[in-house]
Amino acid sequence: MLRVGSVLGTCRPTPGAPRWPGASRLSPGVRGERAGLCVTERPVLSWSRRSVFLTGSIAMATAGRARPPGPPRYTNRLINEKSPYLLQHAHNPVDWYPWGQEAFDKAKKENKLIFLSVGYSTCHWCHVMEEESFQNKEIGAIMNENFVCIKVDREERPDVDKVYMTFVQATSGGGGWPMSVWLTPDLKPFAGGTYFPPEDSARRVGFRTLLLRVAEQWRQNKDALLESSQKILEALLAMSQIRVQGQQSPPPSEEVMATCFQQLSNSYDEDYGGFSESPKFPTPVNLNFLFTYWALHRATPEGARALQMALHTLKMMAHGGIHDHIGQGFHRYSTDQHWHVPHFEKMLYDQGQLAAAYSRAFQISGDEFFADVAGDILLYVSRDLGDQAGGFYSAEDADSYPTTTSSEKREGAFCVWAAEEIRALLPDPVEGAAEGTTLGDVFMHHYGVKEDGNVSPLQDPHQELKGKNVLIVRSSPELTAARFGLEQGQLSALLQESQRRLQAARAQRPQPHLDTKMLASWNGLMISGFAQAGAALARQEYVSRAAQAAGFLRRHLFDPASGRLLRSCYRGEDDAVEQSAVPIQGFLEDYVFVIQALFDLYEASLDQSWLEWALQLQHTQDKLFWDPKGFAYFSSEAGDSSLLLRLKDDQDGAEPNANSVTVTNLLRAACYSGHTEWVEKAGQILAAFSERLQKIPLALPEMARATAVFHHTLKQVVICGDPHGEDTKEMLRCVHSVFSPNKVLMLADGDGAGFLYRQLPFLSSLERKDGKATAYLCSNFACSLPVTSPQELRGLLCQ
């Protein structure tokens, strides 16, 4: 039996870790990148068993990554993979295998333990562990002699990642990447953790020593380890089951919403927005919950507070350093309370969800500031993450070379600025300001630039940002204009010119690594972002970009013969889209986020082909993932013998939980198809998660929101009219301008042979009044009296 004291020495949780508010059963979270691992902001359930060891995540590493000189000395099997993350390790002296039968057979044949390493290509601390340990030939020799070594891209194989992350989180109270897990030859975990420094230190055992000790334990105590791994697996299975209990029904929405609102309110940062001190994550699921809570409680003080919390958070994020003021888009999270110093990685899933959140903020408030931020995000994605075939890439790395002659990468090098650089780029005198005032003076004042850098040493333990500035809006436009005696219009023009010059200068720097893997699920989230922004901001070009990406999914990540989605594809040589030799089948999240995207795209474009495809995919999702006994959907399909656990994800995190989103998807699908069994399924999901929703809805804000949608019943907003008529377009603009969380939109264009009329015969009974475009609000397929003016329609939608 491996134990903390006997094998690793004392293991401690990450110091200073924030606690997740409002949930006594939740363990401490973990610090961010600078504490030594790539984290997920999901709270994790604690587990008190002490029969397995865990690792901490305290970094002892320097963060610079050296550029390997000359041709590679080693090449392993990963050279044949498509994943950018696996290819990053293809020249390690480690005999890496991809996850698959070849590795499993070798482990059984040679009776060797498996060392499983999981990460992703833009993970800062994955790079560090690779350089320190996986590129070290002595450590590589130890790994090759004693273990079958498997490398997994968590973004390609979220099913494998979830199984072993469940183990690591349960046994350590935290998790993150790189994830390091030791398995028996039959794939059962018995020890694991995250990042390890290569050598021993005063504070912890190093990776080299740990490898030797684990190998020795396998030789001396094999039977005990096998018995331990079986007990661990049984315990994990018991604690990870989510199923309906007896005659459980969906929990009451008022209670769930009130508890979730209170938990968010208790954790809210009144000064800077957000829902923790540090690290601070965007958490779009929280913001979407608050918007829905406001819409259902508009006349109450609680409703007003919910809206204030969401809008203030979005404003503070947009002003902060987490927002790239030169290159657009949002970084992964802030390492401090003020949204100032980010982890500089940019993820597609953040851009998609935040574009939708800022669009909703504009829809609700009418403040053009939010529309501008949404447009800024979509500009970044189109320019830097868009593939020429129409899809979207996964991520942009935090690390890059500071100059073309640098030998080591640094985090944030592409994005940060020295004061003298800015002064050199912006030397022009400013007309109308005090004598001697330069463009640089105005820009530096507005964005908090200091001569010796504006990053606290506490946020820069490895001194990667020493003397540098992370741009953050420190002054309102009104105050900056007053400070220099400028008109606001003049100030805006000056700042835009400054940003243009800095962007041109930044384009000359070495670019960060781009993960050109394209995932169905994350493309779905981004399509929703473009479609929702296009509808709310009345920008047809965004809707067209969403449709282009949906067409990409249908061509490259869908098998029309089987009706199934594929998980991933890749940018190959000559920028052609490539697929793996054995394509990875889509997981639950791929179906859920793509179906949501197609519904959003239909509402923005009114092209019924997207609707038809969405309903086909919903049927396929039901067949592959539904649990008819315990209810709700499994994250992966049955039949993969390499997966020890078939899990249901139970928390909203950086991405919403797929079961959370599918509740609303099912309700929308029922409205568009008339299939009421989908409403029943939605209720069964809520019943399966009932205990968690009532006790700690903060862990599932998207599902809490969906609980309210379920109980309030979706309204079908039917516009009868000519899609090309100006009166129809006016009515549609009215619908898109109102935030209503429990509505679906459809156009009855009079084509009785069309898809919608075939699905919903009641549409044939709805007529245009006096030949004008006419709106009906229908619930459970019974409709209100018709209205023909946008003003009357707005009144109905706001009720």
Side-chain angles (χ1 to χ4, degrees):
M1 177 68 64
L2 288 173
R3 294 185 184 277
V4 172
S6 62
V7 179
L8 289 182
T10 303
C11 295
R12 303 179 181 87
T14 307
R19 288 195 172 270
W20 295 95
S24 59
R25 293 176 59 222
L26 296 184
S27 68
V30 287
R31 276 195 181 276
E33 287 279 334
R34 301 180 188 283
L37 75 167
C38 303
V39 304
T40 169
E41 66 270 40
R42 296 157 46 110
V44 294
L45 290 179
S46 61
W47 190 41
S48 60
R49 288 179 61 97
R50 301 184 62 81
S51 60
V52 294
F53 76 66
L54 71 103
T55 73
S57 55
I58 304 163
M60 301 299 168
T62 56
R65 265 73 59 217
R67 188 188 306 214
R73 293 179 60 195
Y74 308 96
T75 300
N76 57 52
R77 288 168 183 77
L78 299 185
I79 197 67
N80 299 316
E81 297 299 306
K82 298 292 185 186
S83 157
Y85 177 63
L86 299 188
L87 289 170
Q88 285 173 347
H89 294 76
H91 299 297
N92 295 165
V94 180
D95 187 16
W96 289 116
Y97 284 75
W99 182 265
Q101 200 59 47
E102 184 184 7
F104 309 152
D105 290 345
K106 178 180 172 68
K108 287 185 176 178
K109 181 181 177 183
E110 299 181 11
N111 195 25
K112 279 186 174 179
L113 291 174
I114 291 170
F115 172 68
L116 172 66
S117 176
V118 182
Y120 55 102
S121 83
T122 58
C123 165
H124 174 86
W125 285 95
C126 300
H127 302 331
V128 174
M129 193 165 176
E130 186 210 1
E131 182 198 340
E132 293 177 335
S133 294
F134 303 148
Q135 289 182 18
N136 182 303
K137 66 180 181 180
E138 289 84 10
I139 291 178
I142 295 170
M143 294 172 70
N144 296 337
E145 181 181 349
N146 295 284
F147 305 97
V148 174
C149 301
I150 298 179
K151 178 63 75 173
V152 167
D153 182 338
R154 67 168 291 259
E155 295 167 356
E156 267 192 338
R157 292 300 303 262
D159 54 338
V160 176
D161 179 60
K162 281 189 178 91
V163 167
Y164 295 105
M165 186 62 75
T166 298
F167 163 73
V168 171
Q169 289 178 330
T171 55
S172 73
W177 300 275
M179 178 168 63
S180 306
V181 189
W182 283 266
L183 320 177
T184 62
D186 57 359
L187 305 179
K188 295 172 185 173
F190 63 89
T194 52
Y195 161 82
F196 296 95
E199 307 295 345
D200 298 348
S201 70
R203 300 184 67 182
R204 65 183 298 189
V205 175
F207 188 54
R208 181 198 304 266
T209 301
L210 182 55
L211 289 167
L212 293 171
R213 289 188 185 179
V214 171
E216 182 67 16
Q217 286 285 329
W218 179 243
R219 285 191 292 270
Q220 293 184 358
N221 300 309
K222 185 179 302 181
D223 291 343
L225 283 182
L226 290 171
E227 183 183 351
S228 169
S229 68
Q230 182 59 36
K231 288 180 179 176
I232 292 166
L233 183 64
E234 290 169 0
L236 285 175
L237 186 60
M239 67 170 280
S240 62
Q241 284 192 336
I242 295 171
R243 53 188 305 110
V244 71
Q245 306 293 328
Q247 299 299 311
Q248 211 163 37
S249 56
S253 64
E254 281 302 318
E255 176 188 326
V256 170
M257 293 287 281
T259 305
C260 191
F261 170 73
Q262 198 55 56
Q263 290 175 352
L264 278 172
S265 185
N266 291 344
S267 64
Y268 176 65
D269 182 339
E270 301 285 352
D271 294 323
Y272 298 100
F275 303 94
S276 62
E277 291 185 2
S278 65
K280 197 165 250 181
F281 292 89
T283 54
V285 288
N286 289 347
L287 303 172
N288 292 339
F289 170 85
L290 291 171
F291 285 144
T292 295
Y293 188 90
W294 164 79
L296 299 176
H297 303 84
R298 292 176 198 234
T300 68
E302 292 80 9
R305 176 165 170 78
L307 183 59
Q308 182 271 331
M309 286 161 61
L311 296 182
H312 181 60
T313 297
L314 286 167
K315 280 211 168 181
M316 295 305 291
M317 282 170 48
H319 290 320
I322 190 175
H323 182 199
D324 187 343
H325 296 282
I326 301 302
Q328 295 83 45
F330 278 80
H331 300 297
R332 180 72 278 271
Y333 59 83
S334 173
T335 62
D336 57 77
Q337 183 181 2
H338 315 111
W339 302 108
H340 180 204
V341 182
H343 167 43
F344 290 89
E345 179 184 27
K346 288 180 179 176
M347 306 300 295
L348 182 66
Y349 56 72
D350 283 325
Q351 315 308 323
Q353 293 177 88
L354 287 171
Y358 278 98
S359 298
R360 290 189 193 107
F362 168 73
Q363 203 177 32
I364 291 167
S365 69
D367 187 341
E368 290 286 344
F369 173 85
F370 298 113
D372 290 344
V373 178
D376 168 287
I377 295 168
L378 299 179
L379 170 61
Y380 163 70
V381 172
S382 297
R383 183 190 66 226
D384 293 352
L385 298 183
D387 183 80
Q388 63 183 16
F392 300 111
Y393 302 140
S394 293
E396 195 172 35
D397 208 333
D399 302 342
S400 61
Y401 295 106
T403 69
T404 53
T405 59
S406 300
S407 61
E408 288 190 348
K409 290 184 177 182
R410 289 182 173 271
E411 181 171 4
F414 187 64
C415 300
V416 296
W417 301 89
E420 60 266 26
E421 289 180 274
I422 294 176
R423 290 200 181 283
L425 289 166
L426 307 175
D428 320 44
V430 175
E431 187 178 337
E435 188 175 348
T437 300
T438 68
L439 192 53
D441 292 329
V442 176
F443 183 88
M444 289 167 65
H445 174 81
H446 191 70
Y447 286 105
V449 175
K450 296 180 180 178
E451 296 296 338
D452 56 352
N454 68 1
V455 177
S456 164
L458 293 174
Q459 302 308 128
D460 187 29
H462 302 297
Q463 299 191 331
E464 292 179 291
L465 306 177
K466 187 176 181 181
K468 302 293 185 179
N469 289 272
V470 177
L471 302 183
I472 178 171
V473 176
R474 289 296 195 197
S475 179
S476 69
E478 294 81 5
L479 288 175
T480 299
R483 165 81 169 72
F484 293 100
L486 304 171
E487 296 294 328
Q488 282 199 47
Q490 183 187 6
L491 172 68
S492 177
L494 293 174
L495 292 178
Q496 285 181 21
E497 171 60 17
S498 302
Q499 288 166 339
R500 186 193 65 76
R501 290 194 203 174
L502 265 64
Q503 189 167 22
R506 202 167 95 167
Q508 304 306 310
R509 297 175 178 175
Q511 298 278 326
H513 161 70
L514 185 66
D515 187 326
T516 54
K517 173 175 72 270
M518 290 170 274
L519 301 173
S521 63
W522 295 4
N523 270 258
L525 290 172
M526 199 66 240
I527 291 167
S528 284
F530 271 98
Q532 290 187 38
L537 278 54
R539 297 283 294 270
Q540 182 56 44
E541 65 270 28
Y542 296 159
V543 181
S544 299
R545 186 64 184 89
Q548 183 188 8
F552 172 89
L553 289 182
R554 196 151 55 184
R555 290 190 306 278
H556 296 288
L557 288 171
F558 176 65
D559 177 5
S562 65
R564 294 173 62 163
L565 289 172
L566 302 175
R567 170 66 176 173
S568 55
C569 59
Y570 311 85
R571 185 180 75 182
E573 294 182 11
D574 301 322
D575 292 342
V577 178
E578 295 183 351
Q579 185 51 263
S580 300
V582 181
I584 301 169
Q585 295 297 313
F587 301 104
L588 175 64
E589 64 186 48
D590 296 301
Y591 285 83
V592 169
F593 296 159
V594 170
I595 290 167
Q596 174 181 248
L598 295 173
F599 285 145
D600 290 340
L601 181 52
Y602 166 71
E603 292 204 6
S605 68
L606 301 172
D607 180 342
Q608 294 184 31
S609 67
W610 304 125
L611 204 53
E612 189 168 3
W613 189 27
L615 297 177
Q616 289 170 359
L617 290 176
Q618 188 61 61
H619 284 296
T620 305
Q621 177 188 317
D622 293 348
K623 290 175 191 171
L624 295 175
F625 304 103
W626 180 252
D627 177 2
K629 295 180 181 177
F631 298 157
Y633 293 90
F634 290 109
S635 296
S636 56
E637 61 182 281
D640 186 342
S641 60
S642 71
L643 290 180
L644 301 176
L645 303 174
R646 201 174 175 214
L647 299 172
K648 297 170 188 172
D649 207 0
D650 60 356
Q651 296 169 57
D652 293 322
E655 305 156 63
N657 174 5
N659 270 296
S660 297
V661 173
T662 208
V663 173
T664 306
N665 280 357
L666 289 167
L667 298 173
R668 294 170 88 176
C671 284
Y672 287 123
S673 68
H675 294 324
T676 54
E677 69 271 17
W678 275 328
V679 177
E680 184 181 356
K681 264 192 167 66
Q684 289 170 335
I685 294 171
L686 297 174
F689 285 86
S690 181
E691 181 182 3
R692 170 159 287 226
L693 283 168
Q694 292 183 80
K695 290 182 178 177
I696 44 171
L698 180 63
L700 285 165
E702 175 60 27
M703 193 176 288
R705 192 194 72 76
T707 306
V709 176
F710 176 82
H711 283 290
H712 282 79
T713 308
L714 281 177
K715 297 174 184 173
Q716 294 160 303
V717 182
V718 184
I719 308 295
C720 295
D722 175 359
H724 304 293
E726 193 52 45
D727 54 349
T728 303
K729 291 178 182 177
E730 252 191 89
M731 297 293 264
L732 292 170
R733 279 194 291 270
C734 172
V735 176
H736 291 315
S737 72
V738 175
F739 175 73
S740 177
N742 60 327
K743 75 172 191 302
V744 297
L745 169 67
M746 59 186 78
L747 177 68
D749 58 6
D751 178 9
F755 176 74
L756 264 179
Y757 279 81
R758 297 199 311 272
Q759 295 289 311
L760 303 172
F762 84 94
L763 292 179
S764 298
S765 66
L766 304 181
E767 299 177 342
R768 301 181 205 179
K769 187 178 177 185
D770 303 326
K772 298 177 182 176
T774 304
Y776 296 83
L777 249 64
C778 308
S779 187
N780 294 323
F781 311 105
C783 299
S784 68
L785 293 173
V787 297
T788 56
S789 77
Q791 293 76 18
E792 290 177 289
L793 177 55
R794 178 177 291 275
L796 287 175
L797 292 172
C798 291
Q799 284 179 359

